[in-house]
Amino acid sequence: MNNKDIIKTLQEEVEIPHIVQKKADAAFAAIHREAENSKSVGPVVRLPADRRMGDDRGQRGSRRKPGTHRHPGRKIWIAAAVAALAVGTITAVADYMKRSKSLTEGMQVTEQQQVQMQEKHLSAIVNRSCTDKGITVTAVDSITDNYYTHIAFRVEGYKVDVGTQPDFGTIKVTVDGKDGYDEASPEDSFNYTAGFYNGFIMGEDGKIIQADGFPVQTDEAGNLIENYTMDDGTMEYQITLSNTQKRGFFINKPVHVELSGLGTVAKAAYETDIDGTWTFDLTLSGSPELKECSLNTPLGNTGASVVKAEISPISLGVEYEFPRQLEPGTAVDENGQEKETTFYAEPPWLMGVRMKNGTMYPYIYLGPGSMGYESEESSRYRTMFAIDRVLDVDQVESLLFAKPAGECGTTPEEMFYMVPVG
C-alpha cells in the first residue's frame, strides 16, 4: 500500500465515546471503515487496524445506526436537492408545538432557543404531508447551517413493537436537481445519514440517556432496547445532508426527497411491510451564522497546531497544521488477510466545547463528519462534523481535543487539550 492509497474520501456517520480514548477510538475508526463504501467529498487518513472499532461501540450510533439507511439487497440513491421549508405567520408558541421531537428534545433545544433559531432562519417549519397506502408522512421541520441540514419527518399509521427497528426501503435525495456525488465538481457533492428517532440522547458524561428522563432499558445481553413510537403513536424519521467543502451549499436550495417502502430491520436484513412512496419538494432556509477564529495553538507535543476554527450552532470544524508522520500498523487485504503496513498519523481529535459559564460538552459528535489532509501534498489537516445539540456560538470559550492515551488523566484538564476561541 502506498501513501496515495491511504488518502480516501469520507463523510459518514460515526459513534461518539463515553470515555475519551476508548470510545473516541471506536467512533473515529467507524468513519474510516464506512468511508470505504461511500462517495463523498473530503480526504481521509486511514487508521491502523489495532485502532479500528472493536466490541465496545459508541452507543450514540443506536439513534442512527450504520445500516439504518443501507441494507443488503436494496438499492439506495443519494441525490441532492429538496424543497420548500416555508415559515408560517403564526405565533412562536404555536410554531414550537408543531416541531418534531427529534429536532427539539433530540437536539436538546429549549423553547427559547427554538424561537431564536427561527428568528435567525436556522430552523424552519415545513409541515408538508404525503399519504400513500394508508400511511401519512409529514416533513415537519428543518435545521440548516453552512454545511449541514437536518430534516425531520413524522410517520403516522405504521407501528412496530418495542425493540424493533423501522426503516424505509429506499431513499432518493436531490439538491438543486443534482445527485449526491458530482464527479465533475466534487465540492458540489453531498452525503447523508438517515434513521428513525429512538428518543436517546447523549448525557454530559458521554453516556446514553433517554430524552424523556426515563431509565434506559437493556436486554439480557446488555443491548439497548429501543422504542421508536411516540406517546401519540407516531414515529419520526430524520435525514441529515452534509457538504463540508462548500460553505452555504444547502441554504435556499430546492431539495427533493422520495421515500419508498416501509418495513423493519432485523439482523441487518430489511423486510418491506408497506409498498408505498412518499415524495416531498422543499426549499431549505438556513443560517450562515458562524464564529471563525484564526489560531496558532500547539496541542502538547503531538506536532499538531490548531490554526483555524469554525463554530456554528450545529457543527464544529477545525484546521490543523500537522506535518505528515508515518506510523506502523496492520491492514486487511482483498483476501481478508492481515498484513503490516504504514499509515499517516492523525492529530488529536476534536471532541467538544467548553462554554464561558464553565459548562463542558465533551462528547457532542452526531455526524456525519469528514477528516483528512486537504491534498496529497498538504500539511493542513481538516475535520468537521455535525453536533448533537444547538450551541450559542458567542458563549463558546474553548474547544476540547482528546489527549493521547499516555497523557490522558481523569480530570477535564488531564483528558483534553483546551484551545481558547473567545
mmCIF file of all heavy atoms in Angstrom, residues 144-173:
data_model
loop_
_atom_site.group_PDB
_atom_site.id
_atom_site.type_symbol
_atom_site.label_atom_id
_atom_site.label_comp_id
_atom_site.label_asym_id
_atom_site.label_seq_id
_atom_site.Cartn_x
_atom_site.Cartn_y
_atom_site.Cartn_z
ATOM 1 N N THR A 144 -30.727 24.120 9.402
ATOM 2 C CA THR A 144 -29.720 24.193 8.345
ATOM 3 C C THR A 144 -28.687 25.262 8.660
ATOM 4 O O THR A 144 -29.033 26.408 8.971
ATOM 5 C CB THR A 144 -30.365 24.522 6.978
ATOM 6 O OG1 THR A 144 -31.380 23.563 6.695
ATOM 7 C CG2 THR A 144 -29.329 24.518 5.866
ATOM 8 N N ASP A 145 -27.397 24.880 8.576
ATOM 9 C CA ASP A 145 -26.315 25.862 8.670
ATOM 10 C C ASP A 145 -25.525 25.839 7.365
ATOM 11 O O ASP A 145 -26.006 25.408 6.327
ATOM 12 C CB ASP A 145 -25.446 25.636 9.916
ATOM 13 C CG ASP A 145 -24.510 24.433 9.804
ATOM 14 O OD1 ASP A 145 -24.613 23.647 8.823
ATOM 15 O OD2 ASP A 145 -23.650 24.257 10.695
ATOM 16 N N ASN A 146 -24.276 26.286 7.403
ATOM 17 C CA ASN A 146 -23.462 26.373 6.189
ATOM 18 C C ASN A 146 -23.127 25.021 5.583
ATOM 19 O O ASN A 146 -22.914 24.923 4.363
ATOM 20 C CB ASN A 146 -22.157 27.110 6.496
ATOM 21 C CG ASN A 146 -22.338 28.613 6.512
ATOM 22 O OD1 ASN A 146 -22.755 29.207 5.530
ATOM 23 N ND2 ASN A 146 -22.034 29.232 7.647
ATOM 24 N N TYR A 147 -23.060 23.976 6.412
ATOM 25 C CA TYR A 147 -22.550 22.696 5.940
ATOM 26 C C TYR A 147 -23.510 21.522 6.125
ATOM 27 O O TYR A 147 -23.297 20.460 5.540
ATOM 28 C CB TYR A 147 -21.238 22.368 6.652
ATOM 29 C CG TYR A 147 -20.168 23.414 6.456
ATOM 30 C CD1 TYR A 147 -19.808 24.276 7.494
ATOM 31 C CD2 TYR A 147 -19.523 23.558 5.229
ATOM 32 C CE1 TYR A 147 -18.823 25.241 7.309
ATOM 33 C CE2 TYR A 147 -18.539 24.524 5.047
ATOM 34 C CZ TYR A 147 -18.191 25.370 6.091
ATOM 35 O OH TYR A 147 -17.218 26.330 5.908
ATOM 36 N N TYR A 148 -24.531 21.680 6.952
ATOM 37 C CA TYR A 148 -25.418 20.571 7.284
ATOM 38 C C TYR A 148 -26.879 21.013 7.262
ATOM 39 O O TYR A 148 -27.196 22.174 7.530
ATOM 40 C CB TYR A 148 -25.114 20.026 8.687
ATOM 41 C CG TYR A 148 -23.769 19.369 8.797
ATOM 42 C CD1 TYR A 148 -22.647 20.100 9.192
ATOM 43 C CD2 TYR A 148 -23.603 18.025 8.492
ATOM 44 C CE1 TYR A 148 -21.400 19.496 9.277
ATOM 45 C CE2 TYR A 148 -22.361 17.403 8.583
ATOM 46 C CZ TYR A 148 -21.262 18.147 8.977
ATOM 47 O OH TYR A 148 -20.039 17.548 9.049
ATOM 48 N N THR A 149 -27.756 20.063 6.979
ATOM 49 C CA THR A 149 -29.185 20.295 7.170
ATOM 50 C C THR A 149 -29.828 19.033 7.719
ATOM 51 O O THR A 149 -29.571 17.920 7.236
ATOM 52 C CB THR A 149 -29.878 20.728 5.864
ATOM 53 O OG1 THR A 149 -31.240 21.058 6.140
ATOM 54 C CG2 THR A 149 -29.841 19.649 4.799
ATOM 55 N N HIS A 150 -30.628 19.202 8.766
ATOM 56 C CA HIS A 150 -31.426 18.118 9.338
ATOM 57 C C HIS A 150 -32.882 18.335 8.930
ATOM 58 O O HIS A 150 -33.412 19.440 9.093
ATOM 59 C CB HIS A 150 -31.356 18.129 10.870
ATOM 60 C CG HIS A 150 -29.973 18.093 11.435
ATOM 61 N ND1 HIS A 150 -29.120 17.032 11.258
ATOM 62 C CD2 HIS A 150 -29.296 19.003 12.194
ATOM 63 C CE1 HIS A 150 -27.964 17.284 11.885
ATOM 64 N NE2 HIS A 150 -28.060 18.463 12.451
ATOM 65 N N ILE A 151 -33.526 17.290 8.432
ATOM 66 C CA ILE A 151 -34.946 17.355 8.082
ATOM 67 C C ILE A 151 -35.658 16.237 8.838
ATOM 68 O O ILE A 151 -35.248 15.073 8.763
ATOM 69 C CB ILE A 151 -35.183 17.194 6.571
ATOM 70 C CG1 ILE A 151 -34.316 18.177 5.776
ATOM 71 C CG2 ILE A 151 -36.654 17.424 6.243
ATOM 72 C CD1 ILE A 151 -34.354 17.938 4.268
ATOM 73 N N ALA A 152 -36.725 16.595 9.563
ATOM 74 C CA ALA A 152 -37.468 15.614 10.351
ATOM 75 C C ALA A 152 -38.805 15.309 9.689
ATOM 76 O O ALA A 152 -39.510 16.219 9.220
ATOM 77 C CB ALA A 152 -37.695 16.133 11.762
ATOM 78 N N PHE A 153 -39.168 14.015 9.649
ATOM 79 C CA PHE A 153 -40.419 13.547 9.059
ATOM 80 C C PHE A 153 -41.212 12.775 10.119
ATOM 81 O O PHE A 153 -40.654 11.922 10.816
ATOM 82 C CB PHE A 153 -40.153 12.611 7.876
ATOM 83 C CG PHE A 153 -39.395 13.246 6.740
ATOM 84 C CD1 PHE A 153 -38.007 13.346 6.773
ATOM 85 C CD2 PHE A 153 -40.072 13.752 5.631
ATOM 86 C CE1 PHE A 153 -37.304 13.928 5.733
ATOM 87 C CE2 PHE A 153 -39.384 14.334 4.579
ATOM 88 C CZ PHE A 153 -37.994 14.429 4.632
ATOM 89 N N ARG A 154 -42.508 13.053 10.205
ATOM 90 C CA ARG A 154 -43.383 12.309 11.109
ATOM 91 C C ARG A 154 -44.116 11.231 10.312
ATOM 92 O O ARG A 154 -44.614 11.488 9.213
ATOM 93 C CB ARG A 154 -44.388 13.244 11.773
ATOM 94 C CG ARG A 154 -45.325 12.526 12.766
ATOM 95 C CD ARG A 154 -46.258 13.504 13.455
ATOM 96 N NE ARG A 154 -45.492 14.417 14.308
ATOM 97 C CZ ARG A 154 -45.467 15.737 14.144
ATOM 98 N NH1 ARG A 154 -46.163 16.305 13.167
ATOM 99 N NH2 ARG A 154 -44.745 16.496 14.941
ATOM 100 N N VAL A 155 -44.176 10.013 10.860
ATOM 101 C CA VAL A 155 -44.820 8.877 10.199
ATOM 102 C C VAL A 155 -46.037 8.461 11.016
ATOM 103 O O VAL A 155 -45.920 8.114 12.197
ATOM 104 C CB VAL A 155 -43.839 7.696 10.049
ATOM 105 C CG1 VAL A 155 -44.530 6.496 9.396
ATOM 106 C CG2 VAL A 155 -42.612 8.113 9.239
ATOM 107 N N GLU A 156 -47.221 8.487 10.383
ATOM 108 C CA GLU A 156 -48.469 8.120 11.041
ATOM 109 C C GLU A 156 -49.112 6.935 10.330
ATOM 110 O O GLU A 156 -49.137 6.877 9.105
ATOM 111 C CB GLU A 156 -49.437 9.301 11.024
ATOM 112 C CG GLU A 156 -48.908 10.550 11.712
ATOM 113 C CD GLU A 156 -49.834 11.736 11.526
ATOM 114 O OE1 GLU A 156 -50.855 11.806 12.242
ATOM 115 O OE2 GLU A 156 -49.538 12.578 10.650
ATOM 116 N N GLY A 157 -49.624 5.983 11.130
ATOM 117 C CA GLY A 157 -50.344 4.845 10.564
ATOM 118 C C GLY A 157 -49.528 3.580 10.476
ATOM 119 O O GLY A 157 -50.026 2.554 9.995
ATOM 120 N N TYR A 158 -48.288 3.617 10.953
ATOM 121 C CA TYR A 158 -47.440 2.419 10.921
ATOM 122 C C TYR A 158 -46.815 2.237 12.299
ATOM 123 O O TYR A 158 -46.287 3.202 12.883
ATOM 124 C CB TYR A 158 -46.343 2.567 9.871
ATOM 125 C CG TYR A 158 -45.433 1.349 9.750
ATOM 126 C CD1 TYR A 158 -45.902 0.173 9.198
ATOM 127 C CD2 TYR A 158 -44.114 1.400 10.187
ATOM 128 C CE1 TYR A 158 -45.075 -0.944 9.083
ATOM 129 C CE2 TYR A 158 -43.281 0.302 10.074
ATOM 130 C CZ TYR A 158 -43.770 -0.875 9.523
ATOM 131 O OH TYR A 158 -42.948 -1.969 9.420
ATOM 132 N N LYS A 159 -46.892 1.030 12.834
ATOM 133 C CA LYS A 159 -46.387 0.770 14.179
ATOM 134 C C LYS A 159 -45.447 -0.430 14.180
ATOM 135 O O LYS A 159 -45.598 -1.357 13.392
ATOM 136 C CB LYS A 159 -47.548 0.532 15.147
ATOM 137 C CG LYS A 159 -48.460 1.741 15.342
ATOM 138 C CD LYS A 159 -49.547 1.459 16.359
ATOM 139 C CE LYS A 159 -50.450 2.685 16.557
ATOM 140 N NZ LYS A 159 -51.514 2.416 17.560
ATOM 141 N N VAL A 160 -44.495 -0.395 15.092
ATOM 142 C CA VAL A 160 -43.590 -1.523 15.304
ATOM 143 C C VAL A 160 -43.536 -1.823 16.793
ATOM 144 O O VAL A 160 -43.823 -0.955 17.624
ATOM 145 C CB VAL A 160 -42.167 -1.235 14.768
ATOM 146 C CG1 VAL A 160 -42.180 -1.023 13.266
ATOM 147 C CG2 VAL A 160 -41.548 -0.039 15.484
ATOM 148 N N ASP A 161 -43.186 -3.032 17.140
ATOM 149 C CA ASP A 161 -43.043 -3.413 18.544
ATOM 150 C C ASP A 161 -41.811 -2.757 19.151
ATOM 151 O O ASP A 161 -40.860 -2.403 18.444
ATOM 152 C CB ASP A 161 -42.922 -4.929 18.669
ATOM 153 C CG ASP A 161 -44.188 -5.651 18.237
ATOM 154 O OD1 ASP A 161 -45.277 -5.053 18.349
ATOM 155 O OD2 ASP A 161 -44.066 -6.819 17.787
ATOM 156 N N VAL A 162 -41.813 -2.617 20.463
ATOM 157 C CA VAL A 162 -40.638 -2.122 21.171
ATOM 158 C C VAL A 162 -39.458 -3.036 20.868
ATOM 159 O O VAL A 162 -39.575 -4.265 20.892
ATOM 160 C CB VAL A 162 -40.899 -2.070 22.691
ATOM 161 C CG1 VAL A 162 -39.613 -1.722 23.439
ATOM 162 C CG2 VAL A 162 -41.989 -1.051 23.012
ATOM 163 N N GLY A 163 -38.328 -2.451 20.530
ATOM 164 C CA GLY A 163 -37.139 -3.222 20.204
ATOM 165 C C GLY A 163 -36.998 -3.562 18.742
ATOM 166 O O GLY A 163 -35.967 -4.099 18.327
ATOM 167 N N THR A 164 -38.023 -3.253 17.943
ATOM 168 C CA THR A 164 -37.975 -3.500 16.503
ATOM 169 C C THR A 164 -37.641 -2.209 15.776
ATOM 170 O O THR A 164 -38.269 -1.176 16.015
ATOM 171 C CB THR A 164 -39.315 -4.046 15.985
ATOM 172 O OG1 THR A 164 -39.609 -5.275 16.655
ATOM 173 C CG2 THR A 164 -39.262 -4.289 14.487
ATOM 174 N N GLN A 165 -36.680 -2.257 14.883
ATOM 175 C CA GLN A 165 -36.219 -1.068 14.178
ATOM 176 C C GLN A 165 -36.964 -0.873 12.865
ATOM 177 O O GLN A 165 -36.888 -1.715 11.974
ATOM 178 C CB GLN A 165 -34.720 -1.172 13.890
ATOM 179 C CG GLN A 165 -34.150 0.010 13.126
ATOM 180 C CD GLN A 165 -32.710 -0.217 12.717
ATOM 181 O OE1 GLN A 165 -31.982 -0.962 13.360
ATOM 182 N NE2 GLN A 165 -32.300 0.429 11.641
ATOM 183 N N PRO A 166 -37.655 0.257 12.699
ATOM 184 C CA PRO A 166 -38.309 0.542 11.421
ATOM 185 C C PRO A 166 -37.346 1.198 10.446
ATOM 186 O O PRO A 166 -36.320 1.747 10.846
ATOM 187 C CB PRO A 166 -39.411 1.527 11.830
ATOM 188 C CG PRO A 166 -38.818 2.266 12.999
ATOM 189 C CD PRO A 166 -37.923 1.276 13.715
ATOM 190 N N ASP A 167 -37.687 1.148 9.163
ATOM 191 C CA ASP A 167 -36.879 1.851 8.165
ATOM 192 C C ASP A 167 -37.618 1.923 6.844
ATOM 193 O O ASP A 167 -38.508 1.118 6.571
ATOM 194 C CB ASP A 167 -35.529 1.172 7.953
ATOM 195 C CG ASP A 167 -34.470 2.148 7.460
ATOM 196 O OD1 ASP A 167 -34.819 3.306 7.151
ATOM 197 O OD2 ASP A 167 -33.299 1.758 7.370
ATOM 198 N N PHE A 168 -37.239 2.899 6.034
ATOM 199 C CA PHE A 168 -37.716 2.971 4.661
ATOM 200 C C PHE A 168 -36.832 2.101 3.780
ATOM 201 O O PHE A 168 -35.648 1.899 4.065
ATOM 202 C CB PHE A 168 -37.705 4.423 4.165
ATOM 203 C CG PHE A 168 -38.775 5.269 4.777
ATOM 204 C CD1 PHE A 168 -38.495 6.118 5.829
ATOM 205 C CD2 PHE A 168 -40.086 5.197 4.306
ATOM 206 C CE1 PHE A 168 -39.496 6.898 6.411
ATOM 207 C CE2 PHE A 168 -41.090 5.972 4.880
ATOM 208 C CZ PHE A 168 -40.798 6.824 5.934
ATOM 209 N N GLY A 169 -37.419 1.602 2.684
ATOM 210 C CA GLY A 169 -36.683 0.695 1.806
ATOM 211 C C GLY A 169 -35.643 1.399 0.972
ATOM 212 O O GLY A 169 -34.486 0.982 0.928
ATOM 213 N N THR A 170 -36.034 2.482 0.291
ATOM 214 C CA THR A 170 -35.074 3.252 -0.496
ATOM 215 C C THR A 170 -35.303 4.732 -0.245
ATOM 216 O O THR A 170 -36.410 5.179 0.083
ATOM 217 C CB THR A 170 -35.198 2.985 -2.015
ATOM 218 O OG1 THR A 170 -36.506 3.355 -2.457
ATOM 219 C CG2 THR A 170 -34.925 1.530 -2.331
ATOM 220 N N ILE A 171 -34.236 5.485 -0.404
ATOM 221 C CA ILE A 171 -34.277 6.931 -0.217
ATOM 222 C C ILE A 171 -33.621 7.567 -1.423
ATOM 223 O O ILE A 171 -32.503 7.203 -1.795
ATOM 224 C CB ILE A 171 -33.502 7.359 1.049
ATOM 225 C CG1 ILE A 171 -33.985 6.579 2.269
ATOM 226 C CG2 ILE A 171 -33.646 8.864 1.281
ATOM 227 C CD1 ILE A 171 -33.068 6.754 3.473
ATOM 228 N N LYS A 172 -34.321 8.503 -2.060
ATOM 229 C CA LYS A 172 -33.737 9.291 -3.131
ATOM 230 C C LYS A 172 -33.740 10.750 -2.699
ATOM 231 O O LYS A 172 -34.774 11.268 -2.283
ATOM 232 C CB LYS A 172 -34.526 9.143 -4.435
ATOM 233 C CG LYS A 172 -34.596 7.724 -4.979
ATOM 234 C CD LYS A 172 -35.424 7.699 -6.262
ATOM 235 C CE LYS A 172 -35.611 6.276 -6.772
ATOM 236 N NZ LYS A 172 -36.435 6.261 -8.015
ATOM 237 N N VAL A 173 -32.604 11.393 -2.804
ATOM 238 C CA VAL A 173 -32.499 12.805 -2.433
ATOM 239 C C VAL A 173 -31.743 13.536 -3.525
ATOM 240 O O VAL A 173 -30.714 13.055 -4.004
ATOM 241 C CB VAL A 173 -31.761 12.993 -1.082
ATOM 242 C CG1 VAL A 173 -31.743 14.464 -0.694
ATOM 243 C CG2 VAL A 173 -32.396 12.161 0.004
#
